[in-house]
């Protein structure tokens, strides 16, 4: 407890010190007027040199506006009308009360339609790469999983594990909240989330100490939330077909006044998809061939998902904002599988065969509740924010496996019928509080505390129904309970000079883990405390170029499923099991980034990971028979060297090209299943190009191409693949949009590869329903002219509050 209360006491002391110090700061005003016959109710946003929103004001009927209580420094203005940016000023140096020259917008209109500059699909802000999903035509009608699958720098392997720029074990967040799932569980959750609910996706490769230390990098999926004044909303629907049909529907509404911001959204999706997997598994002994399994697996999925969220922000006064939100995700999916296998003997002739028909009815439910409060300390942007979260996941699955086996030599046939009843629940409680304190002379302090509690209870019951009655199968029945408590405290200090900026931070996390396998009375406990430093240094070489160096230490803890030691049988030759002896992996990340005109970026990166958590397939002997087990083990170390480039090109006035390329080398060292590898890896790359075409009269088109070269990941060798997407859209005068997309036109994005150990060789090929034609329609309603302007310090009235 002393480890928690000591940082808490320091944090409270810092808070009261910062309140007193703020009183001596000198403040200035900035005012101006807009020359336009449509200036009334335009939103004027004031941002600092780091592009952070400071305040917002609304122009009066004469176009006048003003900001007060500003400290000296560099600012710039952005003016919005009806939610779209129509003006962006040059830098403004403020050292006294200042009146700006009149701003002549000279808005060009075509029959009442304002011409504005759209956000690029890919952009970089504050050390994050951002993918604006709403601006991607190719993302229309997809799931969150499919959007991620085709994002620049993203790779997904045959077991649905997601990696970013060649690095796996990521932390996936939804609106800043950690998802407690990995692998196929996470994939199924994301497959049930329609892309129409997503605003943007943030890719944070080197997070500061303010973020949770979990994960080698962070992917944060930010859901839509309207922020304009008045009552606004949208309705959208889409229908698509690949091999199977896919339908997404969504509705959102928002009402915002000076005192309250009420929001809600709901989406429903029905999607059918499939996963085809062809395997050629070869077993050896002393380099002599012993046996092979030749398998053809086909799974068909049917998803029915509901996603709903509602909440309110209440502005108590100029200093206090109180908010809450509730969310629901309900995902029902049926899986029907057909698995055919031929077993070859040492002479490579068929010995036996089996066919497994499996079916399951699954349901995932996620309930979430967030209560948050923000207190604005002073006009410098200093604030305290506090969040309490409760999250509940529950899942159930009824499974059936019917396996018919045929022995070729004896002609004997056997039928095995296995029934499964699986139930799981997960509860997460989290409380955190953050203090952001701005001092004069451009000093800034960030500090905070967080505590979280997690408990999961998975109960799996299996029965043998081959005799016609349900007989409990104790060899497959499993009951696993996982408990976790993490306590954290952090501090960041930053300072800005004219051309130089530096930030240094330190985070401490205390972890307490207990895993209990009730079936076997096996208990595993882990308790450890670790430090996670981070630092960022940037320097403006010229007015248009900048160089930045950053560093961070990260940790990836095994998930509760990865620690569950029980064996789950997929078919007679394949089983899945966790590993209770898994250690957490730690990563040291280093990055050097050069930027030009805030458009062109080059990032050199190096990372070193110890005890890398790795999903593997390996041969084992089970009841005298050689089978394959899917499990997780620690590799000794992984080194990563990378160069990431972003280079947008304006080819013509009507053709914009956004290019990115990732060149990297991964080096892996470890020993699994008696196979030692030392610095094994290869140089590989991934190239992505997004082309946007403005065709006039509200028509735009999009062409996206991606190529992934061959990659060696430890014992896995993945073949090259590529894809091409096209799309088009038409914007109508009534604020509606019609979109068409055709993804993976040539059906080339599927994964092929090979897994190699001393006594095992597996060739695999995966096919998914990636070639899809989709048509969607969206209608936006409402007007930002309604409602009252909020004239106060702090930027949260226009920014999405984390978790709300």
């Amino acid at each position: 407890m002393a480890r928690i209360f000591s940082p808490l006491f320091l944090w409270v002391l810092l808070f009261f010190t910062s309140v007193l110090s703020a009183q001596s700061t000198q403040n200035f005003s900035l005012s101006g007027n807009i020359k336009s016959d449509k200036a009334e109710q335009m939103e004027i946003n004031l941002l600092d040199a780091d592009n952070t929103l400071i305040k917002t004001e609304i122009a009066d009927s004469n176009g006048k506006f003003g900001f007060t209580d500003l400290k000296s420094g560099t600012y710039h203005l952005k003016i919005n009308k009806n939610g779209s940016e129509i003006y962006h000023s040059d830098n403004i140096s403020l050292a006294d009360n200042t009146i700006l020259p009149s701003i002549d917008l000279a808005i060009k209109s075509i029959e009442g339609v304002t011409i504005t500059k759209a956000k690029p699909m890919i952009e970089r802000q504050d050390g994050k790469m951002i993918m604006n999903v709403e601006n991607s035509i190719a993302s229309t009608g997809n799931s969150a999983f499919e959007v991620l699958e085709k994002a620049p720098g993203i790779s997904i392997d045959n077991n649905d594990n997601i990696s970013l720029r060649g690095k796996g074990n990521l932390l996936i967040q939804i609106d800043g909240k950690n998802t407690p799932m990995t692998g196929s569980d996470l994939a199924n959750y994301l497959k049930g989330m329609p892309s129409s609910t997503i605003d943007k996706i943030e890719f944070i490769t080197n997070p500061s100490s303010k973020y949770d230390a979990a994960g080698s990098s962070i992917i944060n999926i930010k859901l839509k939330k309207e922020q304009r004044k008045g009552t606004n909303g949208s309705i959208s629907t889409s229908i698509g077909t690949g091999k199977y049909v896919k339908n997404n529907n969504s509705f959102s509404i928002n009402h915002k006044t000076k005192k309250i911001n009420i929001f809600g959204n709901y989406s429903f999706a029905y999607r059918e998809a499939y996963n085809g997997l062809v395997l050629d598994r070869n077993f050896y002994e002393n380099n002599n061939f012993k046996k092979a399994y030749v398998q053809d697996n086909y799974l068909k999925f049917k998803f029915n998902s509901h996603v709903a969220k509602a909440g309110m922000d209440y502005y108590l006064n100029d200093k206090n904002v109180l908010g809450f939100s509730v969310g629901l995700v309900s995902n029902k999916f049926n899986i029907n599988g057909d698995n055919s296998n031929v077993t070859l003997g040492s002479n490579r002739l068929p010995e036996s065969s089996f066919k497994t028909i499996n079916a399951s009815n699954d349901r995932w439910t996620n309930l979430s509740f967030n209560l948050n409060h923000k207190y604005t300390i002073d006009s410098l942007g200093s604030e305290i924010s506090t969040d309490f979260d409760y999250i509940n996941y529950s899942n159930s699955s009824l499974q059936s496996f019917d396996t018919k086996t045929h022995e070729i030599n004896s002609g004997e046939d056997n039928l095995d019928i296995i029934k499964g009843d699986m139930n799981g629940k997960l509860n997460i409680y989290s409380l955190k509080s953050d203090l952001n304190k701005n001092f004069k002379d451009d000093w800034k302090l960030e500090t905070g505390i967080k505590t979280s509690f997690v408990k999961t209870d998975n109960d799996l019951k299996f029965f043998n129904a081959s005799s016609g009655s349900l007989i409990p199968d104790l060899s497959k029945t499993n009951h696993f309970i996982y408990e976790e408590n993490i306590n954290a405290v952090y501090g960041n200090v930053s300072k800005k000079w004219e051309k130089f900026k530096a930030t240094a931070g330190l985070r401490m996390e205390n972890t307490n883990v207990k895993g209990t396998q009730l079936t076997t009375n096996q208990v595993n406990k882990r308790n450890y405390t670790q430090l996670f430093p981070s630092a960022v240094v940037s320097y403006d070489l010229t007015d248009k170029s900048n160089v930045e160096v950053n560093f961070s230490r990260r940790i990836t803890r095994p998930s509760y499923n990865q620690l569950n030691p029980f064996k789950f049988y997929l078919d007679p030759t394949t089983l899945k099991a966790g590993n209770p002896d898994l250690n957490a992996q730690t990563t040291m990340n280093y990055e050097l980034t050069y930027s030009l005109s805030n458009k062109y970026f080059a990032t050199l990166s190096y990372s070193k990971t110890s005890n890398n958590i790795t999903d593997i397939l390996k041969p084992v002997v089970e009841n005298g028979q050689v089978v394959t087990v899917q499990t997780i083990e620690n590799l000794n170390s992984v080194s990563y060297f990378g160069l990431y480039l972003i280079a947008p090109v304006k080819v013509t006035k009507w053709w914009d090209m956004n290019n990115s390329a990732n060149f990297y080398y991964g080096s892996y060292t470890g020993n699994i299943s008696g196979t030692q590898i030392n610095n094994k890896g290869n140089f590989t790359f991934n190239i992505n190009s997004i082309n946007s075409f403005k065709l006039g009269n509200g028509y735009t088109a999009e062409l996206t191409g991606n190529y992934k070269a061959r990659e060696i990941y430890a014992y896995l060798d993945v073949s090259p693949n590529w894809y091409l997407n096209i799309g088009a859209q038409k914007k109508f005068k009534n604020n509606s949009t019609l979109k068409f997309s055709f993804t993976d036109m040539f059906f080339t994005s599927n994964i092929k590869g090979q897994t190699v150990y001393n006594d095992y060789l597996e060739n695999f090929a995966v096919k998914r329903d990636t070639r899809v034609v989709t048509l969607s329609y969206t209608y936006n309603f409402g007007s930002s002219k309604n409602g009252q302007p909020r004239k106060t310090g702090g930027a949260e009235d226009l920014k999405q509050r984390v978790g709300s």
Side-chain angles (χ1 to χ4, degrees), residues 387-545:
D387 282 81
F388 169 75
D389 287 277
Y390 168 70
I391 303 172
N392 171 266
Y393 291 87
S394 62
N395 65 287
S396 61
S397 178
L398 295 175
Q399 298 184 341
S400 175
F401 298 88
D402 295 5
T403 301
K404 295 181 179 180
T405 304
H406 175 70
E407 298 291 338
I408 294 177
N409 293 333
S410 65
E412 182 181 352
D413 293 321
N414 290 304
L415 174 63
D416 290 320
I417 301 176
I418 301 295
K419 303 289 185 180
D421 185 358
M422 308 168 63
N423 291 278
K425 55 186 177 181
L426 169 66
N427 289 292
I428 301 174
Y429 301 87
S430 174
L431 177 65
K432 73 182 184 76
S433 188
D434 301 284
L435 165 66
N436 295 329
K437 174 62 188 136
N438 294 317
F439 298 92
K440 60 182 180 179
D441 299 327
D442 293 318
W443 283 94
K444 184 177 182 179
L445 169 69
E446 296 177 299
T447 185
I449 56 175
K450 179 179 179 180
T451 184
S452 63
F453 297 87
V454 177
K455 183 176 181 179
T456 181
D457 188 336
N458 282 335
D459 190 6
L460 288 70
K461 295 183 175 66
F462 284 93
F463 305 88
N464 191 321
S466 303
S467 63
S469 57
L470 295 178
I471 301 174
D473 189 337
L474 299 181
S475 67
K476 296 181 175 64
T477 295
N478 170 26
H479 193 176
F480 183 68
I481 295 176
Y482 174 82
E483 298 169 283
E484 177 185 89
N485 165 231
I486 299 176
N487 304 295
V489 59
Y490 77 90
N492 284 330
V493 177
S494 62
K495 166 67 175 173
K496 287 193 299 183
W497 292 267
E498 184 177 353
K499 291 187 176 183
F500 186 75
K501 181 179 179 181
T503 302
L506 181 65
R507 186 180 186 92
M508 181 181 72
E509 291 192 352
N510 167 252
T511 304
N512 306 279
V513 173
K514 179 182 178 182
T516 305
Q517 175 57 255
L518 296 181
T519 310
T520 59
N521 293 321
Q522 183 177 355
V523 178
N524 290 277
K525 292 183 178 181
R526 300 284 175 89
N527 300 282
Y528 50 91
T529 300
Q530 293 191 338
L531 298 176
F532 302 95
S534 67
V536 181
V537 177
S538 66
Y539 181 74
D540 294 331
L541 301 173
T542 67
D543 291 341
K544 293 186 177 181
S545 62

Side-chain angles (χ1 to χ4, degrees), residues 179-191:
T179 57
M181 296 167 285
T182 58
S184 58
D185 289 340
L186 175 62
N188 287 334
Y189 180 77
L190 295 176
K191 287 174 183 177

Side-chain angles (χ1 to χ4, degrees), residues 289-294 341-354 405-413 625:
F289 176 78
K290 301 295 294 182
K291 182 180 291 188
Y293 298 134
V294 181
N341 174 85
V342 175
T343 302
L344 306 180
S346 57
N347 55 4
R348 292 195 178 273
L349 295 177
E351 288 184 343
S352 64
S353 65
F354 70 78
T405 304
H406 175 70
E407 298 291 338
I408 294 177
N409 293 333
S410 65
E412 182 181 352
D413 293 321
Q625 181 182 9

Side-chain angles (χ1 to χ4, degrees), residues 125-244:
Q125 294 180 4
D126 301 327
K128 298 180 285 191
M129 188 183 79
I130 298 173
M131 180 177 177
N132 294 301
V133 174
E134 190 172 16
N135 296 333
S136 169
I137 300 174
S139 297
T140 300
N142 289 331
S143 67
F145 182 83
E146 292 163 324
V147 172
L148 268 180
E149 191 173 27
K150 292 177 174 56
I154 290 291
S155 297
I156 298 178
D157 67 16
N158 55 308
N159 293 319
D160 289 337
N161 295 303
I162 302 169
S163 61
L164 173 61
R165 302 186 199 173
K167 293 188 286 186
N169 295 309
L170 309 173
L171 175 62
I172 307 296
Q173 296 182 333
I174 308 295
D175 275 343
K177 307 302 179 186
N178 301 343
T179 57
M181 296 167 285
T182 58
S184 58
D185 289 340
L186 175 62
N188 287 334
Y189 180 77
L190 295 176
K191 287 174 183 177
M193 180 179 292
S195 63
S196 58
T197 64
I198 301 173
D199 176 30
K200 59 186 175 182
I201 301 176
E202 298 176 337
F203 303 91
I204 310 170
T205 54
N206 215 353
S208 73
S209 300
K210 183 176 181 178
Y211 294 89
D212 286 351
S216 59
S217 300
I218 295 175
I219 296 178
N220 183 25
I221 301 173
K222 303 195 78 170
L223 304 182
K224 291 179 180 177
K225 178 184 172 184
E226 181 59 70
Q227 288 288 353
R228 292 177 293 170
K229 303 291 191 301
T231 302
N232 303 275
S234 67
I235 301 172
S236 69
T237 185
S238 70
I239 185 71
T241 182
K243 186 171 182 179
Y244 301 111

